[in-house]
């Protein structure tokens, strides 16, 4: 007779990978999971640091994670867009870290602006409302709002993506 399969529970919770991003210089790999963000050296695959992320929830299917490195690979910005049920609203949580130490440089939440798109250099980002009727440009180093976009009343828009930026980050 064939052996009966057995299931042995894992002693540790499993981590669900939600996104990853290599640094521009190829030295680091950032991995976002259901416990936070972890940065690895790509030469040894050794975890250098780990940090919790604002906005992580147990309802992971409603979290969207985006990450962007600064062009010089010295900073990592992580965005989590989240649907919150009570009361129903969308929130984007952004955290910027020093890439070498993992020190949190800043963290901010944005109500009703869940769509995030980073410039290619990772130092600026665009936030767009759920209904695509409002958009704000932000300096990701400061962080501070640097402008707003006027959107046509009846425009057919799609969610912003990083690839919607020009290569130098000057046009969206």
């Amino acid at each position: 007779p064939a052996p009966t399969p057995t299931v042995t529970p894992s002693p540790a919770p499993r981590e669900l990978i939600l996104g990853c991003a290599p640094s521009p210089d190829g030295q680091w790999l950032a991995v976002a999971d259901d416990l936070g963000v972890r940065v690895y050296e790509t030469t040894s695959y050794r975890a250098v640091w780990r940090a919790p992320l604002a906005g992580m929830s147990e309802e992971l299917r409603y979290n969207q994670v985006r990450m962007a490195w600064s062009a010089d690979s010295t900073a990592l910005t992580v965005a989590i867009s989240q649907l919150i049920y009570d009361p129903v609203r969308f929130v984007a949580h952004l955290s910027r870290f020093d890439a070498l130490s993992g020190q949190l440089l800043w963290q901010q939440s944005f109500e009703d602006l869940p769509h995030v798109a980073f410039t290619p250099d990772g130092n600026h980002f665009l936030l767009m409302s759920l209904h695509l009727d409002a958009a704000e440009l932000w300096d990701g180093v400061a962080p501070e709002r640097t402008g707003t976009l006027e959107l046509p009343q009846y425009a057919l828009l799609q969610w912003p993506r990083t690839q919607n930026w020009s290569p130098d980050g000057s046009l969206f």
Side-chain angles (χ1 to χ4, degrees):
T4 305
T6 59
V7 176
T8 306
S10 173
R14 298 181 64 116
E15 296 172 20
L16 175 65
I17 294 176
L18 302 172
C20 60
S23 63
D25 65 5
Q27 185 176 354
W28 313 105
L29 177 66
V31 177
D33 58 37
D34 54 342
L35 301 175
V37 64
R38 189 180 314 195
V39 171
Y40 295 89
E41 288 180 332
T42 56
T43 54
S44 66
Y45 297 106
R46 179 181 65 88
V48 179
W49 57 266
R50 178 182 199 88
L53 293 172
M56 291 304 288
S57 76
E58 294 178 14
E59 294 293 326
L60 291 172
R61 65 182 173 267
Y62 298 110
N63 286 336
Q64 181 183 57
V65 176
R66 294 204 171 136
M67 295 182 282
W69 289 90
S70 60
D72 61 3
S73 301
T74 60
L76 172 69
T77 306
V78 182
I80 298 175
S81 298
Q82 177 185 46
L83 169 64
I84 299 172
Y85 286 107
D86 191 19
V88 174
R89 65 191 194 282
F90 283 91
V91 180
H93 304 277
L94 277 83
S95 305
R96 188 168 176 99
F97 299 94
D98 176 82
L100 185 58
S101 68
Q103 176 186 356
L104 181 65
L105 302 174
W106 60 261
Q107 195 167 61
Q108 192 162 340
S109 296
F110 301 90
E111 290 279 335
D112 298 321
L113 294 167
H115 305 299
V116 181
F118 292 102
T119 56
D121 70 3
N123 288 327
H124 297 85
F125 56 92
L126 175 112
L127 295 170
M128 192 173 280
S129 67
L130 175 65
H131 301 291
L132 307 176
D133 57 357
E136 298 178 359
L137 296 167
W138 284 74
D139 180 331
V141 178
E144 61 186 14
R145 187 172 66 178
T146 59
T148 58
L149 293 179
E150 291 185 30
L151 302 175
Q153 183 177 3
Y154 298 106
L156 180 59
L157 299 172
Q158 58 180 310
W159 293 351
R161 292 185 215 123
T162 299
Q163 52 270 45
N164 290 132
W165 290 97
S166 62
D168 66 358
S170 64
L171 300 172
F172 184 77

